[in-house]
């Protein structure tokens, strides 16, 4: 009888330990998913709207971001600067940056707006600097298209 109680108790403890071992793991230290939501230009300034999605199970405190946006293997612009934002666990923040437009970038975006090309392949690549995790690298490739009815705006 006593052996049966100990055996039952031992099996119960083992089952609980196995269930705890199979529990959900909290993601930590993963780079955010950074995507371009909108790009606009006015002949002098390019405004880029980025979304940064935190896939970690804990908040991500972003101090700065360094990135470049390349179109057709040519760097459209680079940005290195402070962000100072906190992204909640599994949350998304939208962030905007303005940079000076070069003659080459104006020409590329105008050709897209005027329909000379249907889309432009791009690469968004950089590093997010976080308080807890240090440098976290991100990269995304896609195509830029004009936004219908909104001259000077692209996605």
């Amino acid at each position: 009888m006593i052996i049966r109680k100990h055996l039952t108790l031992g099996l119960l403890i083992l089952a609980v330990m196995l269930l705890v071992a199979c529990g959900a793991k909290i993601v930590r230290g993963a780079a955010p998913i950074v995507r371009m939501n909108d790009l606009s230009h006015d002949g002098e300034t390019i405004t880029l709207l980025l979304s940064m999605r935190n896939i970690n199970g804990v908040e991500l405190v972003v101090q700065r971001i360094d990135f470049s946006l390349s179109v057709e293997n040519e760097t459209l612009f680079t940005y290195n600067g402070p962000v100072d934002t906190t992204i909640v666990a599994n949350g998304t923040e939208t962030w905007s940056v303005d940079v000076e437009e070069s003659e080459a970038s104006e020409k590329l975006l105008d050709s897209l707006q005027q329909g000379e090309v249907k889309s432009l392949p791009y690469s968004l690549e950089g590093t997010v600097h976080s308080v807890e995790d240090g440098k976290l690298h991100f990269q995304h490739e896609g195509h830029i298209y004009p936004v219908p009815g909104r001259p000077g705006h692209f996605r």
Side-chain angles (χ1 to χ4, degrees):
M1 183 80 167
I2 292 178
I3 294 175
R4 186 178 247 179
K5 284 183 181 181
H6 288 302
L7 182 61
T8 304
L9 182 60
L11 288 174
L12 182 61
I13 291 172
L14 180 63
V16 168
M17 289 174 57
L18 287 172
L19 286 173
V20 169
C22 295
K25 303 283 187 221
I26 295 178
V27 177
R28 295 176 189 269
I33 298 172
V34 180
R35 300 290 186 260
M36 177 179 67
N37 284 358
D38 187 73
L39 184 142
S40 61
H41 79 119
D42 61 10
E44 295 178 14
T45 305
I46 292 178
T47 301
L48 182 65
L49 188 64
L50 297 174
S51 68
M52 292 187 278
R53 182 171 170 241
N54 178 13
I55 61 171
N56 295 291
V58 295
E59 72 178 17
L60 181 65
V61 180
V62 180
Q63 293 176 309
R64 67 178 288 118
I65 187 170
D66 304 321
F67 69 91
S68 64
L69 179 69
S70 301
V71 174
E72 292 186 336
N73 297 321
E74 295 289 327
T75 301
L76 197 60
F77 66 84
T78 59
Y79 178 83
N80 302 301
V83 177
D84 296 320
T85 190
T86 300
I87 309 172
V88 298
N90 301 307
T92 302
E93 287 292 324
T94 303
W95 183 71
S96 179
V97 61
D98 293 329
V99 294
E100 188 176 323
E101 186 170 23
S102 68
E103 190 175 311
S105 61
E106 182 179 11
K107 197 174 193 179
L108 271 172
L109 294 173
D110 282 344
S111 70
L112 180 59
Q113 183 66 53
Q114 294 168 4
E116 295 170 18
V117 292
K118 295 206 183 277
S119 69
L120 294 170
Y122 78 91
S123 174
L124 178 64
E125 186 171 353
T127 305
V128 168
H129 301 261
S130 97
V131 171
E132 301 263 333
D133 303 308
K135 294 181 180 180
L136 302 170
H137 182 74
F138 65 88
Q139 180 180 8
H140 180 72
E141 294 180 351
H143 282 80
I144 299 174
Y145 299 93
V147 177
R150 295 187 66 200
H153 287 263
F154 308 90
R155 288 204 175 130

